[in-house]
Amino acid sequence: MSFKHPFLPRRESIAVKVGNIIVGGESPIVVQSMTNTDTADEVATTKQIAELASSGSEMVRITVNTAEAAAAVAGIKSRLKHMGIDVPLVGDFHFNGHKLLSQYPECAQALDKYRINPGNVGRGKRRDEQFATMIELAVKYNKAVRIGVNWGSMDQELLARLMDENAQLAEPKEPKNVMFETVIRSAIDSALAAEKLGLAKDRIILSCKMSDVQDLITVYRAIAERCDYALHLGLTEAGMGSKGIVASTAALSILLHEGIGDTIRISLTPEPGATRTKEVIVAQEILQTMGLRAFVPLVTACPGCGRTSSTYFQELAEQIQSYLRQQMPVWATQYQGVETMSVAVMGCVVNGPGESKHANIGISLPGTGESPVAPVYEDGEKTVTLKGDNIAAEFQALLDQYIERTYQKNQ
């Protein structure tokens, strides 16, 4: 009997070039993030973009909401280039994007993608004119555009019209379903309008973000059936801490499993004073634990029980995981495939040897009452037994040696 991961085929979508990366088509699912600095502060914004890019964000979105912010974009791009960072920048526009892109051509040229919300570009005739201005500038500068509709910022005129049409039906739909349709129609109709204005289909990405898990799944399943534009996934206003992580994982994992989604962002509210990089790490770990991409070697570690009264294995697991993530940018330039490596740090004899043998390299630490020795396994074979007070440093050294010996060096 053979077993396979029961993934559905990846949804076919149009490939979109954004800066130096490709979103959609047959390209890997792209991880992106967003700054929370005042974009007008070039130094702070550049620093945060660099942090996000270093942590693995493959695109970074910045707020462009004022003249000062727009004026700073070209300088931020220049600073990043001077640092050797070539991450694509996405400008997030609401309400006044048509003015800022028109008045600051250096901003329009420096950005790699414009993010437009159809519900926030004006009303009536002004809406059409202002939307057209932004699309025409995207065409002029050959930029990609994400048409992003959010649950909280729908096109109210379209919603009112669809609600009126629904009320005339013999069997009206539930109001929530009409709102879902509004979100989807707003995105697709705006994309079609952008194409009529000259924006190529392979320059368009769509998103229909919700803040409720089931709502997000419902809407993305529907839009995936109705168009072949590349899709950006994200649970908007996901929340803080474990709630945000769990909600985002629950929603995105289902859609990704069904082959829906070409780029993702995890919209976590950061803890006070914390960095923004957590959202990047969570996005990577969702994709990696689902077997869709590999970014950094992951550590398998047991949860602990009455057999592991010592916290040593927990501390070692955390230390090794941090070391792997810290070293990965260096290893990525030196070795091929090291991001797929599996490491096990186990806490007692029950599952320790088995899990350690299953990993590329693993260590089984002694549990309560067990002999104070820690066997190390490499590719299923026991290679050495560590003991004493220097186990952590010795295992880390063995890890480095395993990588150097196992993975092909880049030329």
Side-chain angles (χ1 to χ4, degrees), residues 13-220:
S13 63
I14 303 296
V16 181
K17 192 170 189 300
V18 182
N20 59 353
I21 65 170
I22 302 295
V23 175
E26 297 180 356
S27 298
I29 297 164
V30 174
V31 172
Q32 63 178 280
S33 59
M34 185 174 184
T35 61
N36 64 351
T37 55
D38 179 356
T39 306
D41 186 339
E42 286 189 28
V43 174
T45 303
T46 301
K47 180 176 182 291
Q48 191 171 80
I49 293 170
E51 290 173 349
L52 291 167
S54 177
S55 69
S57 183
E58 294 161 309
M59 279 197 288
V60 178
R61 182 156 50 115
I62 59 176
T63 299
V64 187
N65 59 336
T66 64
E68 293 77 12
V73 171
I76 291 168
K77 188 81 168 183
S78 178
R79 289 171 183 268
L80 290 169
K81 184 177 180 180
H82 183 72
M83 297 167 67
I85 298 172
D86 191 26
V87 63
L89 293 185
V90 182
D92 190 60
F93 295 98
H94 295 271
F95 311 114
N96 60 352
H98 59 292
K99 292 182 179 179
L100 297 176
L101 286 171
S102 299
Q103 295 171 5
Y104 295 88
E106 298 86 358
C107 169
Q109 294 178 66
L111 293 168
D112 297 287
K113 184 174 75 171
Y114 308 155
R115 192 273 192 179
I116 304 173
N117 187 324
N120 288 343
V121 295
R123 297 286 183 268
K125 185 179 180 181
R126 289 179 59 196
R127 174 194 179 280
D128 295 339
E129 293 173 350
Q130 291 166 184
F131 179 79
T133 296
M134 299 180 76
I135 297 301
E136 287 164 359
L137 287 166
V139 173
K140 177 180 179 180
Y141 297 115
N142 192 26
K143 304 298 181 180
V145 173
R146 171 158 74 95
I147 295 172
V149 184
N150 280 4
W151 187 241
S153 53
M154 290 182 289
D155 183 336
Q156 295 301 312
E157 294 174 15
L158 177 60
L159 176 61
R161 186 168 76 250
L162 293 182
M163 283 291 190
D164 288 342
E165 292 174 0
N166 184 63
Q168 304 303 316
L169 297 175
E171 297 183 10
K173 301 175 183 177
E174 291 290 328
K176 194 170 189 179
N177 289 329
V178 179
M179 295 175 76
F180 290 157
E181 179 66 16
T182 301
V183 169
I184 295 167
R185 282 273 297 277
S186 180
I188 294 178
D189 290 354
S190 296
L192 294 174
E195 287 191 63
K196 288 182 179 179
L197 291 165
L199 188 66
K201 194 169 188 177
D202 64 0
R203 307 303 284 150
I204 299 173
I205 298 172
L206 300 186
S207 69
C208 294
K209 289 187 173 183
M210 305 275 127
S211 56
D212 178 86
V213 170
Q214 296 295 346
D215 291 349
L216 188 83
I217 294 168
T218 298
V219 167
Y220 270 92

Side-chain angles (χ1 to χ4, degrees), residues 147-336:
I147 295 172
V149 184
N150 280 4
W151 187 241
S153 53
M154 290 182 289
D155 183 336
Q156 295 301 312
E157 294 174 15
L158 177 60
L159 176 61
R161 186 168 76 250
L162 293 182
M163 283 291 190
D164 288 342
E165 292 174 0
N166 184 63
Q168 304 303 316
L169 297 175
E171 297 183 10
K173 301 175 183 177
E174 291 290 328
K176 194 170 189 179
N177 289 329
V178 179
M179 295 175 76
F180 290 157
E181 179 66 16
T182 301
V183 169
I184 295 167
R185 282 273 297 277
S186 180
I188 294 178
D189 290 354
S190 296
L192 294 174
E195 287 191 63
K196 288 182 179 179
L197 291 165
L199 188 66
K201 194 169 188 177
D202 64 0
R203 307 303 284 150
I204 299 173
I205 298 172
L206 300 186
S207 69
C208 294
K209 289 187 173 183
M210 305 275 127
S211 56
D212 178 86
V213 170
Q214 296 295 346
D215 291 349
L216 188 83
I217 294 168
T218 298
V219 167
Y220 270 92
R221 280 174 172 167
I223 196 170
E225 290 180 353
R226 290 164 62 172
C227 73
D228 59 358
Y229 295 107
L231 296 179
H232 167 69
L233 298 187
L235 188 74
T236 191
E237 291 100 31
M240 181 180 288
S242 60
K243 184 269 180 185
I245 294 172
V246 171
S248 293
T249 303
L252 269 61
S253 295
I254 291 172
L255 293 168
L256 292 168
H257 174 81
E258 296 177 1
I260 299 171
D262 302 292
T263 174
I264 67 172
R265 182 200 170 196
I266 308 302
S267 300
L268 296 180
T269 303
E271 302 290 342
T275 70
R276 299 283 280 186
T277 58
K278 184 69 173 180
E279 66 178 53
V280 178
I281 293 171
V282 172
Q284 289 180 331
E285 289 180 348
I286 289 173
L287 294 175
Q288 185 151 354
T289 54
M290 290 187 69
L292 296 171
R293 286 193 67 182
F295 298 94
V296 63
L298 295 182
V299 173
T300 298
C302 61
C305 65
R307 295 184 179 88
T308 56
S309 57
S310 170
T311 61
Y312 186 74
F313 83 94
Q314 300 165 344
E315 295 162 359
L316 180 59
E318 182 179 15
Q319 179 180 332
I320 293 299
Q321 181 70 77
S322 297
Y323 178 70
L324 292 170
R325 186 165 288 280
Q326 178 184 353
Q327 288 295 112
M328 191 57 214
V330 177
W331 288 336
T333 65
Q334 297 176 337
Y335 304 100
Q336 297 178 23

